[in-house]
Amino acid sequence: SDSSVEKTPVSAPKIDDTKTNRSLALSLLDDTKLLIRNAQYRLWRWRNPGVSFKEYIADIAEKDLARGRAHPTLGPNLTIGDPSESGRQTFDLLVSRYHIEPGDVCVEYGCGTLRVGRHAIAYLEPGHYWGLDIAQSFLDGGLALIGADVAAQKMPALRVISELSVAETAAAKPKFLYSISVLMHVHPDELLEFMRNIVTIVGEQGFGVIAAQWTDTDTRQIGRQSWVHSFSALRAAVDASGGVGEFIERNVRSDRVSGVIELRRAPVE
């Protein structure tokens, strides 16, 4: 070999300091916003003692809707999609995957302003759709979106979530319950109540499907009113509610799993 041949030194890959610094700055900004919003919640709780977190987020959403602000899932002004068509694909998928029939009694837990529910109402026989949510204004907004004629013809049963309305819905003996884009907004302290209500509604004859995200690590807050719950917390809530849940993975990411929880009431031994 010719030892006189000079070798070109291999340089280390350059790190884009600008991009790294921007990412760190955005992450710090997100963390700061979250701290401020959590402080706002604590102040709101101080001013409204004994009020639940779900009432807090209902208050925020109601004010946003009253101002005409766009929302991902609520009201006539959606951030993405046509309100008359948004949710159709979701409900069509539920029908094909879980074989929902028009004569089935079907419950939507967290129906909002009927983004998905309007398609369920159109599909099901009159009186067979039950929609529950945390604020009457959401339900009124849904009725406005579907119109008085459809409401009179299809007779959807819309209720604010309470112990009484959960019992009333359970008495209708639903065959199927679904909950879409709801679990992520359930405060960790209210997770058991959420699962217990669903298990109560589906009863011995029914079946529930909850769209979910979970993580193998600790529950993580990702927004003012959003969490990725830990698998262990979700499993514990299902068990404590008297349910049996199957966690089905649809999409696995580095920091979380997206999928559904198929939930039934545990058999009485």
Side-chain angles (χ1 to χ4, degrees):
S1 60
D2 187 355
S3 58
S4 65
V5 177
E6 295 185 1
K7 295 183 179 180
T8 304
V10 178
S11 59
K14 291 184 178 181
I15 298 175
D16 188 343
D17 290 335
T18 302
K19 185 175 181 180
T20 301
N21 291 338
R22 186 184 299 118
S23 297
L24 290 172
L26 289 174
S27 178
L28 181 60
L29 180 60
D30 287 341
D31 291 343
T32 303
K33 285 181 178 179
L34 197 54
L35 286 172
I36 294 171
R37 287 169 175 170
N38 285 341
Q40 290 172 335
Y41 169 57
R42 287 192 293 272
L43 178 61
W44 189 88
R45 283 291 302 271
W46 180 75
R47 290 173 174 170
N48 301 272
V51 180
S52 66
F53 183 81
K54 58 180 175 289
E55 291 171 287
Y56 170 67
I57 64 173
D59 181 66
I60 293 171
E62 287 177 318
K63 289 176 179 176
D64 285 348
L65 292 175
R67 296 186 185 107
R69 290 181 178 175
H71 191 279
T73 59
L74 295 173
N77 186 20
L78 298 179
T79 52
I80 299 176
D82 179 353
S84 64
E85 289 299 318
S86 178
R88 181 186 297 278
Q89 184 176 3
T90 297
F91 184 70
D92 288 348
L93 181 62
L94 291 171
V95 170
S96 63
R97 182 168 287 164
Y98 296 103
H99 310 292
I100 304 170
E101 299 292 339
D104 294 338
V105 175
C106 185
V107 177
E108 182 174 4
Y109 193 90
C111 63
T113 52
L114 305 180
R115 182 181 68 90
V116 178
R118 66 190 305 158
H119 306 292
I121 291 168
Y123 176 80
L124 297 169
E125 293 178 4
H128 283 219
Y129 173 86
W130 288 70
L132 286 79
D133 215 308
I134 57 177
Q136 183 63 46
S137 62
F138 296 173
L139 308 180
D140 293 341
L143 287 173
L145 285 175
I146 65 173
D149 290 343
V150 172
Q153 178 188 359
K154 288 292 191 171
M155 298 181 294
L158 306 181
R159 302 288 188 271
V160 175
I161 297 171
S162 68
E163 187 176 339
L164 183 62
S165 65
V166 166
E168 182 187 8
T169 308
K173 301 290 185 184
K175 182 178 179 182
F176 186 73
L177 176 149
Y178 65 91
S179 184
I180 308 295
S181 300
V182 177
L183 179 60
M184 67 181 296
H185 300 306
V186 176
H187 191 282
D189 292 345
E190 299 174 4
L191 198 54
L192 177 57
E193 177 190 355
F194 173 83
M195 293 296 182
R196 185 178 288 145
N197 284 348
I198 290 178
V199 170
T200 298
I201 290 170
V202 299
E204 297 178 358
Q205 78 294 325
F207 175 73
V209 173
I210 305 167
Q213 298 182 78
W214 58 86
T215 174
D216 290 334
T217 57
D218 294 335
T219 294
R220 187 172 75 257
Q221 188 174 7
I222 58 173
R224 174 171 57 176
Q225 53 198 42
S226 303
W227 287 265
V228 178
H229 296 286
S230 70
F231 176 84
S232 59
L234 291 172
R235 172 62 72 190
V238 168
D239 293 345
S241 70
V244 175
E246 182 177 358
F247 289 69
I248 299 175
E249 298 179 354
R250 302 286 190 213
N251 182 34
V252 179
R253 296 162 56 181
S254 60
D255 62 338
R256 73 190 72 172
V257 175
S258 298
V260 298
I261 305 171
E262 295 186 347
L263 189 62
R264 299 180 185 273
R265 177 182 287 182
V268 178
E269 296 180 357

